[in-house]
């Protein structure tokens, strides 16, 4: 009986402990949801505050601009009135001067005539004769033409009241407030030294023409453009591993000039170190980040390998032939190749060897030094070559080795070949490499 009571007590204790653990888990979930609600409330309040600031700033700028434009138009019209007034008054002033001169001449002639009539009888005949000659010379019957009121300008201002209606309609339609952006960030895919950012349209009624992706490092104050175009994904390169970056995206509607509101900013990071070429190999010059290799004009040749085995199965390794600034890329050679290998092996002038898969610049594919029947397009300026691998294990695999198979997909210029690469050892990571015999080839790896 005592044993039964002890067992029952143990069961009750077990049930109590399970209930306590369930309550703890329930509390954690509720607390997590409370944090989510707090973040949602904070996002609404912060975005509302920012939107108010943007609206007030925009309309203040708009009022200032409109006032400036109206002042400029008023000044232009007033100057036009001044010009018309001056041009119209000028001939009247000239006519007035002519008439005033005639009045002065007539006054003077009138005084001479009265003096001649009322003068001495002895000198009267001579004065009358001189006066008559002078009067004939002045042409007293010739009068200047004075324009009638209907022939001179009468200025007025024509102000179309429909402008107020047009402005009112335009202003009342100007600006919108959106509660949700039409596009949102969808996925971040880690890449060596970068992040593949994907976004999607969330508003079915919105027809995008272009997208604009921005990012900033950590808590930096300013975002910077990293992509503008019609694609819905972009590889952001040259990022530091284990560092948070904030991303946001917006879109421009079809036929519109303005950009939509920004998406909700999201954090992304990569934990994968960037791919780098090995420095110091004669025959190749590297960029400052050591992700671009240029075959220089050195006579030395050989395979340029990666600094470390940084390519892992399940990732995509990309080689891009960068336009080097000359009309054509380097002269091709049948030994030229791009590919991956199990280990670095010095003394070879090509990756067309054992424990390596590669594509030559003429499009031939080599597996462990043997050429396949399938062929890809030739590698030219601007070409992109990608390697994708997944593990397909044939037999037991241990540290001592064993049958090991990788499913390899090589793509070039929208064509691809798929084959199985059988190795005698497990490979968690691989080296990549390239070899070119002539200068001019310039390869970016990511």
């Amino acid at each position: 009986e005592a044993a039964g009571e002890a067992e029952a007590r143990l069961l009750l204790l077990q049930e109590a402990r399970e209930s306590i653990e369930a309550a703890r888990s329930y509390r954690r979930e509720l607390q997590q949801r409370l944090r989510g609600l707090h973040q949602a409330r904070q996002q609404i309040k912060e975005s509302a505050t920012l939107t108010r600031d943007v609206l007030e700033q925009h309309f203040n700028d708009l009022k200032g601009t409109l006032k400036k434009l109206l002042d400029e138009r008023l000044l232009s019209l007033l100057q036009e009135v001044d010009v018309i007034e001056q041009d119209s008054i000028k001939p009247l002033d000239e006519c007035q001067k002519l008439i005033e001169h005639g009045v002065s001449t007539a006054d003077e002639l009138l005084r001479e005539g009265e003096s001649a009539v009322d003068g001495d009888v002895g000198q009267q005949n001579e004065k009358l004769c001189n006066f008559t000659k002078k009067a004939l010379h002045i042409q007293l019957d010739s009068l200047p033409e004075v324009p009638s009121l209907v022939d001179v300008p009468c200025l007025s201002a024509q102000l179309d009241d429909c402008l107020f209606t047009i402005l009112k309609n335009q202003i009342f339609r100007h600006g919108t407030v959106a509660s949700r952006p039409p596009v949102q960030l969808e996925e971040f895919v880690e890449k060596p030294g970068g992040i593949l950012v994907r976004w999607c349209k969330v508003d079915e009624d919105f027809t995008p023409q272009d997208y604009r992706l921005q990012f900033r490092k950590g808590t930096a104050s300013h975002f910077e453009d990293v992509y503008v175009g019609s694609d819905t994904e972009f590889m952001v390169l040259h990022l530091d591993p284990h560092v948070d970056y904030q991303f946001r995206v917006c879109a421009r509607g079809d036929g519109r000039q303005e950009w939509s509101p920004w998406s909700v900013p999201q954090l992304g990071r990569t934990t994968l170190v960037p791919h780098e070429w090995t420095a110091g190999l004669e025959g190749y010059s590297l960029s400052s980040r050591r992700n671009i290799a240029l075959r220089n004009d050195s006579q030395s040749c050989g395979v340029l390998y990666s600094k470390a085995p940084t390519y892992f199965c399940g990732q995509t390794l990309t080689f891009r032939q960068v336009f080097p600034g000359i009309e054509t890329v380097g002269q091709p050679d049948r030994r030229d190749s791009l590919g991956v290998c199990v280990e670095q092996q010095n003394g070879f002038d090509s990756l067309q060897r054992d424990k390596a898969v590669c594509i030559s610049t003429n499009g031939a594919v080599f597996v462990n030094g043997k050429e396949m029947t399938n062929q890809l397009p030739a590698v030219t300026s601007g070409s992109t070559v990608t390697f994708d691998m997944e593990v397909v294990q044939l037999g037991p695999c241990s540290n001592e080795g064993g049958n090991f198979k990788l499913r390899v997909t090589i793509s070039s210029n929208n064509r691809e070949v798929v084959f199985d690469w059988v190795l005698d050892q497990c490979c968690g990571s691989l080296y990549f490499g390239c070899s070119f015999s002539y200068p001019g080839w310039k390869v970016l790896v990511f």
Side-chain angles (χ1 to χ4, degrees), residues 426-444:
C426 295
C427 295
S429 59
L430 298 166
Y431 290 87
F432 57 85
C434 69
S435 61
F436 299 103
S437 300
Y438 298 98
W441 295 93
K442 190 175 184 180
V443 180
L444 165 68

Side-chain angles (χ1 to χ4, degrees), residues 31-238:
Q31 290 173 340
Q32 179 66 27
R33 280 162 172 74
L34 282 175
R35 286 192 291 270
L37 285 174
H38 175 71
Q39 291 174 349
R41 182 178 288 105
Q42 186 177 9
Q43 176 175 302
I44 293 172
K45 288 184 173 295
E46 289 179 353
S47 62
T49 299
L50 178 60
T51 301
R52 291 189 190 97
D53 293 341
V54 170
L55 287 172
E56 290 176 358
Q57 182 64 46
H58 175 76
F59 276 85
N60 284 334
D61 293 344
L62 190 61
K63 285 189 287 186
T65 302
L66 284 175
K67 184 180 183 305
K68 180 180 178 182
L69 292 174
L70 290 172
D71 289 343
E72 290 177 355
R73 180 56 179 163
L74 174 60
L75 179 61
S76 175
L77 291 172
L78 292 176
Q79 290 175 344
E80 190 175 342
V81 171
D82 293 341
V83 171
I84 295 175
E85 181 184 24
Q86 292 172 6
D87 291 346
S88 302
I89 291 294
K90 184 177 180 180
L92 298 182
D93 289 342
E94 293 175 352
C95 184
Q96 180 177 343
K97 291 179 180 178
L98 182 61
I99 292 174
E100 289 174 348
H101 178 70
V103 170
S104 176
T105 302
D107 287 342
E108 182 181 351
L109 185 63
L110 183 59
R111 286 193 298 271
E112 290 183 11
E114 291 175 346
S115 175
V117 171
D118 298 334
D120 249 349
V121 176
Q123 298 178 349
Q124 188 175 34
N125 289 338
E126 183 181 356
K127 286 183 176 181
L128 289 173
C129 183
N130 290 336
F131 169 74
T132 303
K133 288 181 180 179
K134 188 174 183 180
L136 291 174
H137 179 72
I138 293 176
Q139 298 180 350
L140 296 175
D141 59 345
S142 177
L143 296 173
E145 186 71 24
V146 176
S148 63
L149 293 180
V150 296
D151 294 329
V152 297
C154 181
L155 278 70
S156 63
Q158 281 72 50
L159 301 173
D160 193 349
D161 290 340
C162 72
L163 176 63
F164 295 103
T165 303
I166 296 173
L167 287 175
K168 179 179 177 181
N169 293 335
Q170 290 294 329
I171 289 173
F172 283 163
R173 289 199 301 266
H174 181 68
T176 58
V177 176
S179 60
R180 290 179 177 83
V183 292
Q184 292 285 8
L185 295 168
E186 183 179 31
E187 185 182 14
F188 297 101
V189 181
E190 287 187 70
K191 296 292 182 178
I195 299 175
L196 176 62
V197 183
R198 293 192 175 104
W199 54 90
C200 63
K201 183 181 73 167
V202 294
D203 184 353
E204 294 299 329
D205 297 328
F206 183 80
T207 303
Q209 174 181 317
D210 292 307
Y211 297 99
R212 180 181 179 188
L213 178 67
Q214 289 188 337
F215 83 114
R216 65 183 179 187
K217 185 176 182 179
T219 57
S221 57
H222 297 292
F223 282 89
E224 59 181 277
D225 287 339
V226 69
Y227 173 76
V228 175
S230 58
D231 293 338
T232 56
E233 65 176 35
F234 183 75
M235 174 76 75
V236 184
L237 296 173
H238 311 318

Side-chain angles (χ1 to χ4, degrees), residues 362-422:
N362 63 8
V365 178
F366 290 84
V367 182
N368 291 332
K370 296 181 180 179
E371 183 176 355
M372 295 180 61
T373 55
N374 293 335
Q375 186 162 330
L376 293 169
V379 179
T380 57
S381 179
S383 292
T384 297
V385 178
T386 62
F387 285 74
D388 291 276
M389 298 188 186
E390 58 178 337
V391 177
V392 182
Q393 199 165 321
L394 286 180
C397 184
S398 63
N399 292 334
E400 288 75 22
N403 293 325
F404 192 70
K405 181 167 68 173
L406 296 176
R407 182 77 37 85
V408 181
T409 302
I410 305 178
S411 302
S412 176
N413 294 336
N414 296 322
R415 289 180 57 188
E416 65 179 30
V417 294
V418 182
F419 56 90
D420 290 336
W421 181 21
V422 179

